[in-house]
Every structure is written in C-alpha cells, then in structure tokens.
C-alpha cells in the first residue's frame, strides 16, 4: 500500500506489486499479526454479560473480518468498539483497539489515518510497566514498524522493531521475539544489509529448531520460510518450509498444512521447478479448508499450467476458479484473486475464445465494483487498468486508453509508482498504435521515471522477479528506446541519442540490481564521454542495442557528436548467429564457421565506422554491450583477413560511467594470487589445473610483488584474512568458477567449497573497511559463463561492479590452463614492463598466443578473456 501523503518512494512492497501477475502470494494482505491481549481477568459465566466482555467479543469479530480481508466491515466494528471503550474509560482496551484499527487503515492504504491512530495508541499506553501494557505496547510497535516500512521509512521501521524485541524479551514472549526478528530482517534487506538479514534469519531458524513442536512453531517456521524466499535463499527456504510441514502434519492441522504447501509451491515456482510447484499447489488445494488459500493455490497453479501450455489440465481449473471466486466474501484478497486470474488469462493463447474474453471482462468489472465497495483505490486501479489491457488485447484502442487513463489517475491519487509505471507503459503502447508518437514517447518517459524511482525497491523483491523482470520491466526500456530511435533522421538529435543510450544503461543497472536483489553501491563516477574527449582521445565507445526489429548502434568518437546507424537484423536473427558463434568458438574443427559468423558481426558493428575510426586514430574500442552480445568476445570479430584484436585494444563497460579512470601502469603491482590445482573430491566434475603454479611463477617473474595461496592454503577464510590484512591492488584467482544469470549459481571454487558471488562481494567489501587502497584489478582465471545461459555474463559484470574493482579480467569459457598461463604471464609482463593500459596489455597477450603459438592460435584459446571496467 502507498500513502496518500507524499512519501519517499522506497517501499519494498511496491516492487512486489509489480510481480503480482507472477503468482499470488499468501501474505498479500495479512502480513502482520493482528494484535490481541491476554485476558485481564478470568471471565466466569456470571460476568459474561459485562459490557467489556461483549466488547471483547466484538473485537474478536473485527479480527475475524480483518483476517478474511473484509476491511471496511472490520473498520466499522473497531470504530464502534473504540467509542465504547472511551465511554468506559478503559485506556488499555482503547490502545489495543486503536492498534488494530491502524492495521486495518494500513491494509487499506490509508497511511495518514494509520499514523495518527497508532500514535494515539502509543500515547494511551504511556510508560506503564505492567505485563498487559507491555504486551500491547510491543505489538503496537510491531504494527507501527510495518506502517513505516510500507512508507519507505526502513531505518525507522528497524529501530521500532528493535524496541519491540526488547519489550518482548523483557516479558519473555518468544513468539513476539521471533516475529520482530523476522521483520527486522526484512527491514535490513530493504536497507541493503543482505548478510545481516540472513544472519538474523539463520539465528531465528536455530532457535525455532530447539523449541518443542506446536502449531505456533509451524506458523513461525512458515513465516521464516517465506522470508528466506524473499532473500533468494531458496534451498534454506525449502528446508524450513518442509520442517513446518512436518509439524503441521504431525498436529493434523489442515489449514496450516495447506498454507505450507502453498508456500512450498511458491518457492519451487521461483526456483523454476515447475513440476514440484504444480505438485505442491495441488496438495495445497486438496488440503485447503479456507476458500482463500484454495483459490490462491488454484490461481498459482493455473499460471504455471498456462505458461507451460498444459491446456488440457488448465481448462477444468478455469471453471473451478470461477466458481471459487464467486463464493469468496468481500475482501482485498477477493479483488486481487480476480485480477491475478484475469492477468493469467490475458497472457494465455486460449484467450482467443470470445466467450472466455467476455467472461474475463465480467470478472474484472466485478473486481472494480468490489474494490470500490472496499474503498481500495490501489486495487481499483489494478482492476480498471487490467480491463484496459483486455481492451488493448482486443484492439479497442479508444476504450483501452480511457480505462488506462482512469487507472493511472487512481494510481497517482494514492502515490503508487509501482502501479502508475504499468499504466504509463500501457498508455504508451496505445498511443503508438494510434499514431501519436510524441505522446507515446512522453508516456514511456513517465513509465521509465517511475521505474527509476523504484530502483532501491529491488532490494527486497521476491526472487520471482527474474520472471517478472523479463516480462514487466525490461520491455518498458527496450520499447522506449525503439520508439526514440524510430524517429525520422532529422529528429534524431544529440538529445534523443543520448537519452536512448542512457535508457539502455538504466536497464543494465536495473538488471544488475535484480541479479543481486539490491541496488548496487553508488560510487563517484566519471562520464565515459569526458574520458574519451579529454583523457584518452584515442578511444571510441560503441553502444549496440538489440531491439526486436533492428540492431541499433550509437557511436562516440573523441571530440565529436554522437553518431547512429541501424542494421536491419531482427533480435531473433541476431541471437541465432550470436548463439552459433558462442557454441562454435570452443570447437577445434569449426574455425571456418567461427570466422564466417564473426565476419557478419564485424560487418554490423565495425565496418560502417571503420574509416571514421582510422581518421580519428583510434586504438582502443570500448563496448557497452547489450543482451546476447555480452556472451561473444569482441576481440574475435573478423574482417576477412584480421581479427579485431590485431587492430584495436578491446574493453567492455557496463554503462556510460567509469569509476576513477586512473592508470595502473604507474603503480607498483601488489598481487594476492589464490589458486586451486586439485578441486575438492566432492567437485569431481572440475578437472585439475596443473599449470596454475606456472601461472603464478610467470606473474612473479613479470615483476609483481606476489603473495600466494595455493591448494590447501586457498580457503575462503584464508582469502578473507589476506585481503583484509594486506594492501593489495590486484587480486588474481586461478580456480574453477561459473558466472550465471542467477547469483546463487555464480561462484568461484576454493578448497573448502564454492564461494558464492554474494559472499565474495561481502568479503571484498570488508577489505574496503580495513584499507584505503583501491582494488585496481580483479583477475578470474579458469572461470566460465554458464552453458546455455544468455545472461550469464551478468554474473561476471556483477562480480566486477560489486567487488568495487576498477577493472575485472575474466574468461567467458574455460580454456586450457597452459595457454592461460602463457596469456596471463604476458599480460602482467606488458602491464609492468611496457607500462601500457590494461586493455593494450590484454591485446598484446592475446596476440602472443595468436601469432607465436600455433597450437593456441584459434580464438577459442585467446579470445575467452575480456576486460570489464577501467581500460586505462
């Protein structure tokens, strides 16, 4: 929910709302526990007619209505109860009722009222120290923290929950302590303290494991499993949820069994384990006693079936869900269930059925009416906008536009950028269809601006954002750029070209944030254009942009305006050629095909500007690569006679800016070299790397001051200890590893097992706390990008950026360790002896293999290595 006041736009649930169509979360409404209070007196039959007893019954009725999502009815009852307690002068019960009322306001998105009400409750509670007052105070603080978090005030939420934990500790309430710690972990994650959050959750898990089995323990474990799911720790989430399930089954609690199966299904769904997700959802449906849990599981199941085109299984479920929806009471869940159901249908090819289209429209009209009855403008905006999307699907542009604008107005009225961006995007598509290109550009600009305001909310997204990002975020940027670059040539001025490349950079940063589930560190950077124009006027920057219909290319030459040209190759054609090249380049008998395919890419990226490069005396090419182009080594592009590396030094960059463009050639190299010749026995899939010793010897021979950690000495703890204690400016790791588009599958291998990219990032960040010397170069030798993963180099980029390294040199695939030793040794020799740039040192090292070692002259040996970041 978003406040009607102007609040900072940093709320994790806003981004989660973007993912609404991915699957329906159990915790969509009832995220925090409703406040109750221990009985003040033991009530006997003789006093049951006491007014306070009757009011307590009404309070419980309000709680039941809240938990059913019937918020307006709950609000009415609580307001009546509050007035009665005021008349009776019972401050404790007034405070309790106000806290519950604040929670209802929060769920309705009425944050001004929620803040006022929770503050009134806290004033009434004062400084009383009785057990009963402290219990209500702790739970009131817990609700206040949730309100603050939803308003983007994460630091305040964390502090409030810490206060609540202290009170729960004082009154020995273990359940309260557990819940506030889980909440604190969520706040820490929003603030970017991923490891601290995970440490808290791990401690909570250990504490829960030692407690005796009970229904409360099962619920707490399920809550923990859902929280671990948000951090992306899917294996641990699955284990904790299985523990919760065992207890629920032991206690024969069907509601809890069903809820846990639903959570297990969500975790499997996020892990792209569709078959297990289907099984879990089916079990959740079979065990469900609550119609709300049942319909949530049914909708999640339907989404998977439609996405995997299992039409025969999906069709009976359509009828069942429609029937279940009609039986739901008026509630938020009932509204969002309808919206999610229809969003799944709209994406389904089955929507060609006109009868189903009409039924879908009816369901959305009902959702709009229910949202209006609830007074929930966010839900109303979602429902109306989705109805507009249905009209868009039917190509009824005018009606679709009217509904979209209506939905947008509602979203703006509650300051909800997570919803507004979607309707701006939808409006842009509709205006484009009607020929209003300038209007469409403005709408897309607004959509991108809203997404930019949400960037920090990637911190606490559900891991399923990988699915949603591809469908709900990336297309906004790409369609926007395609629209900008489709303008007539006389309108493609410098401002438009600069906006297009900045938009692609914003997409790459969002993709990287998505990879780590948190916004990457903001550091002082220098614009690449300034470096090219002033500091390094022999470098040019090339921005290829892959769009559905064309390959668009923007060029920056020193002291010249931006240039642009387009290649009439569709994304499908381009990715086919890039995929073949990436496959063939490592195969020894495919040199002819490699050169042919490389020549095609050369003709697109280099040939149109070759004469300009020569006139400008360019010797270094900086590529800001997009999409599948990241998986192909630019150095191996072929003009029919020569490879690109024979004419230019080549480097890659993530965007238009560079950290502190200082040359390493002027510094003394202090190298920490870690290597693993023999992988641990449990990682038999990795072959030994006997040439690592030779590689290290060649680094030392080149003149670098080298500290070595080899085999048994190369552990994660030893690496951390060395990095933290000595001022190295180069870290060189020669070991197996893998880069993937999923951070949990991106790692380097040490003697004690894999070091995940997130742990590696934290390890290097701790180094920054102990030394002021920057890490100028990170070398990752013998690593490779994940086979078949078109976004695997995101892992490589992630290592480079998040490690704080000015430059990273790494391999796109695993190459022979002897050729690697030669290349690495020559790279350091050139860097130290010739005092050249890192890009030129890599070029000369690659030419050494190409020209002096016939056995290693194929691109498969020398082209694997790429330099990312500062090329100077």
């Amino acid at each position: 929910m978003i406040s009607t006041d102007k609040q900072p736009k940093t709320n994790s649930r806003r981004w989660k709302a973007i993912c609404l169509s991915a699957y329906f979360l159990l915790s969509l409404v009832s995220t925090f526990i409703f406040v109750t209070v221990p009985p003040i007196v033991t009530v006997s039959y003789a006093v049951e007619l006491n007014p306070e007893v009757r009011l307590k019954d009404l309070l419980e009725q309000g709680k039941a209505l809240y938990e059913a999502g019937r918020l307006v009815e709950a609000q009415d009852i609580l307001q009546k109860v509050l007035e009665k307690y005021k008349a009776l002068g019972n401050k404790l019960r007034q405070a309790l009722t106000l806290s519950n009322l604040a929670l209802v306001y929060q769920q309705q998105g009425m944050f001004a009222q929620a803040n006022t009400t929770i503050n009134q409750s806290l004033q009434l509670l004062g400084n009383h120290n009785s057990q009963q007052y402290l219990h209500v105070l702790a739970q009131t603080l817990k609700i206040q923290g949730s309100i603050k978090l939803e308003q983007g005030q994460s630091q305040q939420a964390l502090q409030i929950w810490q206060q609540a934990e202290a009170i729960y500790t004082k009154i020995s309430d273990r359940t309260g302590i557990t819940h506030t710690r889980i909440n604190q972990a969520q706040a820490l994650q929003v603030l970017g303290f991923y490891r601290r959050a995970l440490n808290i959750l791990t401690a909570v898990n250990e504490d829960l494991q030692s407690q005796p089995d009970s229904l409360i323990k099962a619920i707490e474990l399920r809550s923990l499993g859902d929280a671990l799911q948000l951090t992306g720790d899917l294996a641990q989430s699955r284990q904790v949820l299985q523990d919760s399930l065992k207890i629920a089954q032991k206690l024969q609690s069907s509601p809890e069994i069903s809820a846990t199966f639903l959570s297990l299904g969500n975790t499997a769904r996020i892990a792209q384990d569709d078959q297990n997700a289907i099984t879990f959802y089916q079990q959740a449906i079979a065990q469900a006693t609550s119609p709300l849990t049942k319909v949530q599981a049914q909708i999640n199941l339907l989404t998977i079936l439609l996405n995997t085109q299992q039409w025969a299984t999906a069709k009976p479920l359509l009828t069942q869900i429609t029937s279940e929806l009609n039986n739901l009471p008026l509630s938020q869940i009932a509204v969002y269930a309808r919206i999610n159901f229809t969003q799944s249908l709209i994406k389904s090819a089955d929507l060609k059925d006109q009868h189903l289209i009409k039924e879908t429209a009816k369901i959305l009209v009902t959702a709009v009416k229910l949202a209006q009855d609830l007074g929930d403008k966010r839900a109303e905006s979602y429902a109306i906008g989705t109805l507009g999307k249905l009209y868009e699907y039917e190509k009824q542009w005018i009606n679709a536009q009217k509904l979209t604008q209506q939905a947008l107005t509602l979203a703006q009225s509650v300051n909800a950028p997570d919803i507004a961006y979607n309707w701006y995007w939808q409006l842009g598509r509709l205006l484009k269809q009607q020929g209003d290109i300038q209007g469409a550009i403005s709408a897309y600009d607004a959509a991108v601006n809203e997404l930019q305001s949400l960037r920090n909310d990637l911190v606490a997204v559900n891991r399923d954002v990988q699915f949603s990002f591809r469908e709900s975020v990336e297309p906004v940027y790409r369609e926007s750029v395609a629209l900008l670059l489709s303008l007539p040539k006389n309108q493609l001025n410098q401002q438009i070209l600069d906006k297009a490349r900045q938009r692609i950079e914003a997409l790459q940063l969002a993709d990287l944030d998505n990879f780590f589930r948190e916004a990457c560190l903001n550091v002082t950077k220098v614009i690449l254009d300034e470096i090219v124009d002033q500091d390094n006027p022999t470098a040019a920057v090339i921005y290829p942009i892959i769009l559905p219909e064309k390959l668009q290319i923007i060029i920056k030459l020193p002291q010249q305006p931006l240039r642009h040209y387009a290649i009439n190759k569709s994304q499908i054609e381009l990715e086919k050629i890039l995929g073949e090249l990436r496959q063939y380049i490592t195969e020894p008998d495919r040199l002819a095909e490699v050169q042919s395919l490389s020549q095609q890419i050369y003709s697109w990226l280099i040939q149109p500007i070759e004469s300009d490069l020569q006139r400008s005396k360019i010797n270094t090419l900086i590529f800001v690569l997009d999409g599948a182009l990241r998986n192909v080594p630019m150095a191996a592009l072929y003009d029919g006679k020569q490879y690109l590396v024979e004419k230019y030094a080549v480097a890659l960059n993530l965007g238009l800016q560079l950290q502190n463009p200082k040359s390493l050639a002027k510094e003394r190299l202090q190298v920490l070299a870690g290597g693993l010749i023999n992988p641990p026995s449990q990682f038999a899939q990795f072959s030994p790397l006997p040439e690592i010793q030779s590689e290290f010897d060649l680094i030392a021979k080149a003149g670098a001051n080298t500290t070595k950690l080899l085999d048994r000495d190369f552990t994660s703890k030893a690496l951390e200890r060395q990095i933290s204690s000595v001022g190295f400016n180069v870290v060189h790791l020669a070991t197996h590893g893998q880069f993937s588009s999923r951070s949990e599958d991106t790692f380097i291998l040490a003697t004690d097992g894999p070091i995940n990219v997130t742990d590696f990032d934290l390890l290097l960040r701790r180094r920054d706390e102990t030394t002021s010397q920057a890490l100028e170069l990170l070398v990752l030798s013998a690593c490779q990008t994940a086979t078949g993963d078109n976004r695997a180099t995101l892992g490589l980029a992630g290592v480079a950026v998040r490690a704080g390294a000015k430059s990273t040199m790494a391999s796109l695939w695993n190459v022979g360790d002897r050729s690697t030793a030669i290349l690495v040794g020559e790279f350091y020799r050139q860097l130290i002896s010739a005092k050249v740039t890192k890009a030129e040192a890599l070029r000369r090292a690659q030419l050494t293999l190409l020209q002096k070692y016939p056995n290693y002259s194929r691109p498969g040996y020398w082209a694997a290595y790429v330099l990312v970041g500062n090329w100077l």
Side-chain angles (χ1 to χ4, degrees):
M1 308 296 172
I2 306 300
S3 171
T4 52
D5 302 326
K6 289 290 182 183
Q7 298 292 347
K9 300 179 180 180
T10 54
N11 164 28
S12 65
R13 285 187 63 186
R14 288 174 175 174
W15 193 275
K16 277 190 277 185
I18 293 174
C19 312
L20 217 80
S21 62
Y23 64 88
F24 199 56
L25 292 172
L26 178 66
S27 58
L28 185 62
V29 176
S30 52
T31 305
F32 295 91
I33 294 176
F34 202 99
V35 174
T36 57
V37 64
I40 297 173
V41 295
T42 301
V43 180
S44 65
Y45 180 78
V47 295
E48 280 185 358
L49 297 179
N50 184 296
E52 291 206 14
V53 176
R54 292 199 301 271
L55 288 174
K56 183 187 172 188
D57 290 341
L58 275 176
L59 196 62
E60 290 296 327
Q61 186 182 343
K63 174 185 175 183
L65 288 167
Y66 166 85
E67 290 176 340
R70 297 162 66 177
L71 301 178
V72 174
E73 296 167 79
Q75 178 185 324
D76 289 343
I77 284 180
L78 290 174
Q79 286 170 336
K80 290 174 184 176
V81 170
L82 178 63
E83 293 304 316
K84 296 292 184 182
Y85 278 135
K86 283 181 180 178
L88 291 170
N90 189 328
K91 288 188 176 182
L92 180 62
R93 291 285 178 179
Q94 284 182 61
L96 180 150
T97 309
L98 283 164
S99 298
N100 286 339
L101 190 55
L103 188 54
V104 172
Y105 285 140
Q106 176 196 355
Q107 291 299 332
Q108 291 174 294
M110 302 164 65
F111 282 96
Q113 295 91 326
N115 282 316
T116 300
T117 306
I118 206 73
N119 287 333
Q120 289 172 351
S121 177
L122 290 169
Q123 287 173 3
L124 284 168
L125 291 168
N127 295 317
H128 295 280
N129 286 316
S130 71
Q131 185 91 353
Q132 294 141 347
Y133 268 86
L134 288 174
H135 181 88
V136 175
L137 176 60
Q139 296 212 57
T140 299
L141 288 170
K142 194 164 68 169
I143 291 174
Q144 186 185 36
S146 74
I147 294 169
K148 294 294 184 184
L149 188 71
E150 289 219 33
Q151 291 179 284
Q153 299 169 29
S154 311
Q155 187 62 49
Q156 295 95 316
L158 176 62
Q159 292 168 351
I160 289 167
W161 282 327
Q162 287 169 338
Q163 292 175 38
E165 183 189 352
I167 296 170
Y168 279 128
T169 302
K170 185 175 181 179
I171 61 177
S172 302
D173 185 335
R174 292 184 73 175
T175 299
I177 293 169
T178 297
H179 284 150
T180 52
R181 285 179 178 172
I182 292 172
N183 291 348
Q184 286 173 54
Q186 184 180 3
L188 284 167
Q189 195 184 1
V190 173
L191 290 166
F193 300 114
Y194 174 87
R195 183 52 51 187
R196 282 176 61 189
L198 207 52
N199 287 342
I200 286 179
L201 293 174
T202 301
V204 166
N205 187 29
E206 291 173 357
D207 183 54
L208 285 172
Q209 298 298 340
S210 66
Q211 295 180 20
D213 290 348
S214 66
L215 188 58
I216 288 176
K217 179 180 177 181
I219 293 170
E220 289 173 343
L221 284 169
R222 177 164 56 83
S223 179
L224 175 60
D226 290 340
L228 287 163
Q229 187 187 96
L230 290 176
T231 68
D233 193 343
L234 301 183
Q236 187 66 15
S237 171
R238 190 180 304 112
Q239 182 58 57
V240 169
L241 290 171
Q242 289 286 4
D243 292 343
S244 174
L245 179 63
K246 286 177 185 176
I247 297 171
Q249 289 173 331
K250 177 182 174 182
L251 299 174
Q252 298 182 342
S253 172
S254 292
E256 188 56 27
I257 291 170
S258 178
T260 309
F261 273 131
L262 178 55
S263 289
L264 280 164
N266 291 342
T267 296
R269 172 73 177 82
I270 295 164
Q272 300 174 353
D273 182 2
D274 288 343
Q275 193 51 56
N276 273 324
I278 288 170
T279 301
F280 286 133
Y281 288 141
Q282 288 171 336
Q283 290 171 309
I285 294 165
Q287 290 281 343
T289 57
S290 162
L292 297 176
T293 304
K294 184 175 184 179
V295 78
Q296 287 172 338
Q298 287 175 323
I299 291 170
N300 290 1
L301 174 59
L302 178 70
T303 301
I304 295 179
L305 294 174
L306 292 177
N307 287 343
T308 54
Q309 300 183 356
Q310 299 182 49
W311 313 121
T313 311
K315 283 183 179 179
L317 198 54
L318 293 174
T319 306
Q320 293 172 28
I321 292 173
T322 303
S323 175
E324 293 287 344
L325 289 173
N326 291 334
N327 293 328
L328 289 179
L330 175 63
S331 67
Q332 268 189 331
I333 294 178
V335 177
Y336 283 115
R338 286 172 169 84
I339 294 169
N340 276 272
F341 180 46
T342 55
Q343 285 181 342
S344 292
L345 292 177
I346 289 171
K347 289 194 296 182
S348 164
D350 228 19
L351 202 63
K352 294 172 184 176
D353 184 323
Q354 285 299 311
H355 173 73
L356 189 55
I357 290 172
K358 290 178 182 178
E359 288 301 311
T360 303
K362 286 180 183 177
I363 293 169
L364 284 169
V365 170
T366 301
V368 172
K369 176 66 169 57
L370 293 177
Q372 290 170 341
D373 291 344
L374 287 169
D376 189 335
K377 290 186 177 181
R378 282 179 59 90
E380 185 182 354
S381 175
Y382 264 125
I384 292 173
T386 305
L387 187 57
K389 189 173 183 178
L390 182 62
Y391 276 107
E392 179 191 11
Y393 181 87
E394 284 290 281
K395 299 182 180 180
Q396 296 186 34
W397 312 126
I398 300 300
N399 288 333
Q401 184 176 335
K402 287 179 181 177
L403 287 165
T404 303
Q405 288 173 327
Q406 187 180 344
L408 180 57
T409 300
L410 281 166
Q412 291 170 328
S413 73
V414 290
N415 186 29
D418 58 308
I419 309 175
Y421 100 89
N422 226 321
W423 307 145
Y424 276 126
W425 176 25
Q426 191 160 292
L427 184 61
R429 297 194 304 267
L430 292 166
L431 291 170
K432 180 187 174 185
Q433 288 291 343
Q434 297 172 78
D436 183 358
I437 301 302
Q438 289 302 327
I441 288 174
S442 297
Y444 271 100
D445 286 349
V448 169
N449 289 338
E450 297 287 17
L451 280 173
Q452 291 295 94
S453 77
L454 289 163
R455 182 185 167 201
N456 287 333
D457 295 339
L458 286 166
V459 176
V461 298
N462 191 287
R463 193 62 179 85
D464 201 45
V465 76
Q466 288 284 10
F467 163 81
S468 184
F469 191 92
R470 302 269 75 78
E471 292 197 355
S472 302
V473 177
E474 183 172 347
V476 181
Y477 289 93
R478 292 204 182 279
E479 290 170 17
S480 168
V481 171
L483 199 60
L484 289 168
L485 297 181
S486 70
L487 290 169
K489 277 194 174 182
N490 61 346
Q491 295 180 31
L492 274 176
N493 54 34
Q494 290 295 296
Q495 184 180 4
I496 295 293
L497 293 177
D498 190 46
K499 183 194 283 189
R501 64 177 185 159
Q502 285 192 39
R503 198 142 289 176
I504 286 296
E505 179 188 33
L507 170 60
Q508 296 211 31
L509 289 175
D511 212 356
L512 197 60
D513 293 342
N514 176 39
F515 175 78
F516 278 101
R517 297 179 303 282
E518 60 180 302
C520 289
L521 298 176
N522 292 316
V523 293
T524 303
K525 295 184 178 181
V526 179
I527 304 298
L528 285 187
D529 289 10
E530 295 177 10
I531 302 170
V532 168
D533 285 338
Q534 300 167 21
D535 301 323
N536 190 210
T538 56
V541 190
I542 302 174
Y543 311 88
I545 302 169
I546 301 174
L547 298 174
E549 303 301 325
K550 291 182 180 181
L551 173 64
Q552 301 276 4
I553 300 164
I554 298 174
I555 311 295
K556 169 61 186 174
L557 293 171
Q559 300 170 350
Q560 294 184 35
L562 295 175
R563 301 186 186 186
H564 162 259
Y565 63 92
I567 301 295
N568 287 317
K569 285 290 176 184
S570 71
Q571 182 175 352
I572 294 173
E573 291 178 280
L574 181 65
E575 289 181 349
K576 181 178 180 294
I577 291 170
L578 293 172
E580 288 176 352
L581 176 56
R582 178 63 181 81
Q583 177 187 344
Y584 296 158
I585 201 165
T586 58
E587 298 178 10
D589 57 346
R590 295 280 196 167
L591 181 60
E593 289 95 328
V594 167
Q595 291 182 338
S596 175
L597 292 167
S598 295
Q599 193 168 351
Q600 287 187 57
I601 301 169
Y602 185 98
S603 71
W604 303 334
L605 300 184
I606 307 300
Q607 192 172 314
I609 57 167
E610 197 153 21
S611 58
D612 297 318
L613 296 175
Q614 292 169 358
R615 275 196 298 271
S616 297
K617 298 180 179 178
I618 299 299
N619 60 26
T620 305
L621 299 180
I622 314 302
F623 289 90
V624 183
L625 296 177
D626 181 34
L629 280 165
R630 299 180 201 152
N631 285 350
V632 172
M634 295 294 105
L637 299 188
Y638 192 63
D639 67 0
K641 295 180 180 179
Q642 289 182 302
Y643 293 105
L644 192 64
V645 73
E646 296 181 78
K647 298 187 283 187
Y648 303 98
V650 175
L652 309 180
N653 209 279
L654 288 177
L656 310 178
Q657 303 177 46
L658 194 71
Q659 291 186 56
N660 187 17
K662 185 173 62 174
S663 173
L664 183 58
K666 299 175 183 178
E667 296 189 29
R668 169 78 171 165
L669 262 60
Q670 304 285 337
V671 180
L672 172 60
L676 195 60
I677 294 174
N678 296 300
S681 57
Q682 64 269 38
F683 294 93
Q685 70 269 33
F686 294 116
S687 58
L689 300 169
E691 291 292 337
I692 285 179
Q693 182 63 64
S694 172
E695 186 174 325
F696 286 3
D697 291 344
L698 288 170
I699 295 172
K701 187 178 178 181
N705 188 3
T706 306
T707 300
K708 290 186 279 190
L709 294 172
L710 195 59
D711 278 346
R712 282 184 297 178
D713 295 331
F714 180 49
T715 65
S716 54
K717 289 183 179 178
L719 183 62
E720 180 180 0
R721 188 165 54 249
Q722 284 289 342
I723 284 179
S724 300
S725 62
V726 184
F728 298 103
N729 56 3
V730 177
V731 173
H732 182 108
L733 302 178
T735 178
H736 285 290
Q738 178 173 279
F739 306 118
S740 167
S741 58
R742 297 174 64 86
S743 60
E744 57 265 39
D745 297 329
T746 299
F747 63 89
I748 57 173
L749 194 60
T751 299
D752 52 347
I755 303 175
N756 178 267
V757 63
T758 308
D759 296 322
F760 184 62
D761 163 51
L762 288 165
L763 182 151
L764 288 170
R765 276 205 253 175
R766 290 192 194 100
R767 172 190 183 277
D768 294 339
E769 297 170 2
T770 59
T771 177
S772 59
Q773 186 172 13
L775 182 59
E776 295 292 340
L777 178 63
L778 171 65
V779 180
L780 298 167
S781 171
C783 296
Q784 63 185 348
T785 55
T787 305
D789 188 339
N790 287 333
R791 297 172 61 244
T793 44
L794 187 65
L796 169 57
V799 171
V801 171
R802 291 296 305 275
K806 302 294 179 61
S807 313
T808 297
M809 191 174 87
S811 53
L812 295 177
W813 57 86
N814 197 355
V815 292
D817 61 332
R818 178 57 188 159
S819 60
T820 293
I822 296 169
L823 183 143
V824 166
E826 185 64 19
F827 170 76
Y828 280 98
R829 193 179 74 80
Q830 292 292 336
L831 202 58
I832 295 168
S833 305
K835 302 293 183 184
V836 295
T837 66
K838 285 172 272 192
E840 179 61 22
L842 176 57
R843 172 179 177 265
R844 294 183 183 186
Q846 289 173 319
L847 288 177
T848 297
L849 288 183
L850 173 62
Q851 297 172 351
K852 296 181 180 179
Y853 290 85
N855 289 341
Y856 303 137
S857 62
R858 286 190 299 103
Y861 287 104
W862 53 261
Y865 281 90
V866 294
L867 183 72
V868 181
N870 181 9
W871 67 92
L872 297 176

